[in-house]
Amino acid sequence: MAMSVDEEASTAILNRLRRAQGQLAGVIAMIEAGRDCKDVVTQLAAVSRALDRAGFKIVASGMRQCMAAADGETPPMSEAELEKLFLALA
């Protein structure tokens, strides 16, 4: 089922993903430069949090659509499917 996200949420999600992309590039550069393990892990954790927040925002924004299919043809997601989707981010 395709999920549409409102424009405001989409902007926030894309900003988070771009931030994560920049942080990940920074982590790669840190590893290539032989930086301290603690610094690398700290930045890697920041990337992970940014990705998690983007995922949670997508799920939260699309919850209404997931509960009731917009096209009338696709069955709505069950509670078990929604739970599995949330747990995939945990």
Side-chain angles (χ1 to χ4, degrees), residues 3-45:
M3 182 172 68
S4 63
V5 179
D6 66 59
E7 189 175 332
E8 182 179 331
S10 179
T11 299
I13 292 163
L14 289 171
N15 285 342
R16 288 172 196 238
L17 290 174
R18 286 184 183 108
R19 184 176 310 120
Q21 185 178 35
Q23 289 171 321
L24 184 56
V27 169
I28 292 168
M30 291 171 76
I31 292 170
E32 290 174 341
R35 293 278 304 270
D36 182 63
C37 180
K38 180 180 175 185
D39 295 337
V40 172
V41 171
T42 299
Q43 287 304 308
L44 198 54

Side-chain angles (χ1 to χ4, degrees), residues 26-67:
V27 169
I28 292 168
M30 291 171 76
I31 292 170
E32 290 174 341
R35 293 278 304 270
D36 182 63
C37 180
K38 180 180 175 185
D39 295 337
V40 172
V41 171
T42 299
Q43 287 304 308
L44 198 54
V47 172
S48 180
R49 284 190 305 273
L51 292 174
D52 287 345
R53 289 179 191 157
F56 289 134
K57 185 73 169 176
I58 289 169
V59 172
S61 298
M63 184 58 66
R64 185 174 308 269
Q65 183 179 349
C66 289
M67 293 296 291

